[in-house]
Every structure is written in C-alpha cells, then in structure tokens.
Amino acid sequence: MPASPSTARALNDRLALGLLQSEGPLTANQLKQLTGLSRPSVADLVERLQDCGLITVVGEAGAQRRGPNARLYGIVAARAHLAALDVRTDSVSVVVTDLLGAVLAEASAPVGGDTGPAVERAVTLVERAARDGGAQRLHTIGVGAPGLIDPATGDLHDTTSLPAWHRRLPGALQERLGARVLVENETNLAARAEQRDGAAHDRDTFVLLWLGEGVGAAVVLDGALRRGASGGTGEIGFLPVPGTGGLPSATGCEGGFHSLACAAALRGLGAEHGLLKPDMSAADVVRHAVEAGEGAFLDAVADRVAVGAAAMAAILDPGCVVLGGEVGRAGGAALADRVTERIAAMSPLRTEVRASALGGSAVSRGALLAARDAAQDELFGPRP
C-alpha cells in the first residue's frame, strides 16, 4: 500500500537527515539530487526540519555563489547530548558527545566498595562530565557492562560474580539525570563498534572473541546481533574443552574455555615460558612476546585460543573471527595469523581471524553508537 502523505514526509525527512549525517552539510540542490525529490518537496522538507530545530544554515557553498541556492544546511549537533559508559568491575569511564558523535568531554574514575557509595560516585562522574562538556541534560546514555542482559527487560542479570552496584547504576542514572538509559553486554557493544568502524566493517556475519580477565563472544549473523533465549549467546567461557582437567558448572566457568584462555591462565603460561615479571598483566606478557618475537609462547597462546575459535567456527560458520579484549588487542596480527592457521588445520570451514582495529575504545565506541542510533531514531523519525 502507498504511504500516507504524513508517513511519506517523515520518511523523506529521515532520508535527508541520513544524508546530512553521512555526507556533511548540503545545499537544497544537492539534497534534491541525492534524494530524487522535487524542488518544492525539498523546500518543504528543509523548512520542516528547520522549524523543529534539527537543521540550520551552516554556511554557503563555493566562494562564487551567493543567495538562497548556495546555503549549506547541516544537522544541529547540539539538539541532543549523549553519554557512553564503559563499566568495569571496579571503575567507570564516560564519554559525552553531541548528536553527531563529536566528543565534548571524557572522564574515568575508580568505583568500588559498598553499593550505595559506588553508585553515587559513578553517577557523579557522569554528571561532572556532562557539565564539563556543556550539556545541560543528557538525552540518551549507552552503558556497556560485563554480564548477561535479559532480552525481555534489558536489565543486567542478577549474578553473584558481578558487583551489586552494576545492576543499580542504570536505574540511578535514569532517575537522577532523566535520560534514556540503554544497557548492553560489553562484548556485544565491542562487536557493534568493530562492525561499524573496525575490523569487521566489511562483514555482516562474524564472531568477536573477547580475551581479557574473562572470555566471551559476540555473534553477528546476517548483520544482526544474536542474544539467545536468555541473553547468553556467546558465553564461551562455559564451553567444555580439552586441556583444563575438569568441566564447568552452572555456577562457575572454571574447567571450561575460561580456564584455558582467561588472563590468569595466560599469565601462568607466561610464567612457564619465563616471560612473566611482577605486576605484568596477561596483555603485557602477550605484547612483550610480540615485540620480542617470542614465537614459542605465541604459538602456545594460539593453541589455546584456537580451541574456542574453532568451536565457534564449527557451529556458526561465521567466516571471520575478530580477537578483541585486552589480550586480543595485545596479540594483534601476530596472534590472529597463528589462530587462523590452527583453525584451518582443525576445520574444513574457511575462517579468517583478525585483530581488533579499535583498541581499548571498542566498548565505549559501541555504547556511543547504541546511544546515538536510539536518539536519532527518536528525533529523526522512521527509517526509510
């Protein structure tokens, strides 16, 4: 059925706003060419978007051109302010941006201890960052945190392995700041960022394998993030694997892939190879091994990582696995290439392994993308 006039206008508005976001400021004539709309339709569209405060004149096109036809229209970036939070076990990092994603302020601080004071410290950090960025109020906040997200409610599951303040924080942010708060698993957000701006930018099907203090995975199939019936897709730490001397349980992933490839296990492997020094993290050991050309250690790490990566490849056939997290980033191409070779020896399914392209910013970047997409969907109207 043909769209109603009001729906058609809303779709045209969204199309124009999408072009202004991707291409930057445009003249009315350029909007006409890119949208295929008539000149009167574009004129009406521009007037509507100006009246509702979404676009404004930001300059003129060309030094030789003057007048109405040369006016450049751009999105009003200050129409809404956003925040992205990367929530760790005992710390929080926050980035405040405008509607187009330009960074206005950044802050981070340790957060721990009793639930009430920890939540207060985290909320205060966000308030201060928003104030420093010139944001009178935040429209949407994206939060990336470890743990399972209930797909029905969007809330963090109540588990004993995570601090209680993690679950209290989203509600406190919404109550105190009046912003829309979106919570997502950190690995899923990292995958979203890698797909949009990073190592998986050319893939609509891939797996991100998170290697850090814990291990996890995010699964993207045909462009869509898959969460599973209970939000547990990618809980690869519980995967039973050889070489751990036991099996995981419903209350702990010791004995699963976690025991083979988590940070503590890789620090132990580094000690066996004589590479571990006091105060070195697993990522430090792997980074040192790459820089020093310690091939035997990197081969041993790749042997372990490939067990989990090959299992994901056998079940999902993603064609691409991105190594993220602190260890994945530290290993870079040297580790990724070794894991590629091992999967090729174990599986007939061709699987390319790539290192994360976004470094330590992947979770924050994914949280920002989630917040920005949600805010734009609300302000820009329906997608064409």
Side-chain angles (χ1 to χ4, degrees):
M1 294 179 62
S4 67
S6 61
T7 299
R9 286 193 295 270
L11 293 174
N12 290 338
D13 290 353
R14 179 60 187 254
L15 175 60
L17 288 163
L19 288 168
L20 290 169
Q21 180 183 23
S22 61
E23 304 294 330
L26 298 169
T27 65
N29 189 51
Q30 289 171 325
L31 283 170
K32 173 182 175 297
Q33 294 173 348
L34 291 171
T35 61
L37 298 172
S38 67
R39 191 176 301 277
S41 294
V42 169
D44 290 343
L45 176 154
V46 167
E47 184 177 359
R48 278 196 307 274
L49 295 179
Q50 283 184 297
D51 289 344
C52 64
L54 285 173
I55 69 171
T56 189
V57 177
V58 296
E60 291 190 346
Q64 306 303 318
R65 299 184 62 188
R66 292 291 183 270
N69 291 335
R71 290 173 184 163
L72 280 169
Y73 298 95
I75 292 174
V76 179
R79 182 68 172 76
H81 292 99
L82 317 170
L85 274 67
D86 183 0
V87 179
R88 305 282 92 196
T89 302
D90 56 3
S91 67
V92 172
S93 299
V94 58
V95 178
V96 176
T97 77
D98 62 24
L99 184 58
L100 295 180
V103 175
L104 304 176
E106 296 181 83
S108 60
V111 175
D114 295 336
T115 299
V119 170
E120 178 63 26
R121 285 192 288 270
V123 175
T124 300
L125 180 72
V126 177
E127 287 179 323
R128 185 167 63 247
R131 187 169 57 252
D132 291 345
Q136 293 185 351
R137 70 174 294 270
L138 294 173
H139 182 283
T140 305
I141 301 173
V143 179
L148 298 180
I149 306 298
D150 188 323
T153 66
D155 297 330
L156 275 168
H157 277 290
D158 185 3
T159 62
T160 56
S161 60
L162 294 175
W165 66 267
H166 280 200
R167 296 185 298 278
R168 290 270 305 278
L169 180 59
L173 288 168
Q174 190 166 30
E175 180 180 352
R176 195 115 125 231
L177 303 180
R180 179 185 194 181
V181 180
L182 308 173
V183 186
E184 180 58 276
N185 172 267
E186 59 184 358
T187 308
N188 288 344
L189 288 177
R192 182 175 193 156
E194 294 287 356
Q195 184 181 29
R196 188 80 66 90
D197 303 319
H201 66 92
D202 58 342
R203 296 279 183 164
D204 63 359
T205 294
F206 71 99
V207 167
L208 184 137
L209 183 57
W210 184 272
L211 303 171
E213 289 301 316
V215 296
V219 177
V220 177
L221 301 178
D222 299 324
L225 180 70
R226 306 297 178 175
R227 292 181 174 83
S230 61
T233 295
E235 285 297 305
I236 196 172
F238 287 88
L239 179 74
V241 295
T244 63
L247 290 172
S249 70
T251 58
C253 51
E254 291 76 14
F257 181 60
H258 172 90
S259 294
L260 204 62
C262 71
L266 296 184
R267 289 183 78 253
L269 185 64
E272 293 175 17
H273 284 256
L275 300 178
L276 183 66
K277 297 178 181 179
D279 299 325
M280 286 183 75
S281 67
D284 292 334
V285 178
V286 172
R287 189 177 299 106
H288 168 73
V290 172
E291 294 171 351
E294 297 285 350
F297 172 72
L298 292 174
D299 286 341
V301 174
D303 288 342
R304 295 184 175 205
V305 173
V307 171
M312 300 296 283
I315 296 169
L316 299 170
D317 188 19
C320 178
V321 173
V322 176
L323 301 184
E326 296 86 353
V327 171
R329 295 193 302 271
L335 179 59
D337 291 346
R338 284 173 165 82
V339 177
T340 297
E341 293 172 0
R342 283 152 179 77
I343 295 178
M346 286 189 281
S347 171
L349 305 177
R350 183 174 179 179
T351 306
E352 180 185 3
V353 182
R354 302 175 179 178
S356 165
L358 297 179
S361 66
V363 175
S364 289
R365 179 64 182 161
L368 173 58
L369 289 171
R372 194 176 76 185
D373 287 350
Q376 290 183 352
D377 282 346
E378 179 180 326
L379 296 172
F380 290 2
R383 295 179 181 272

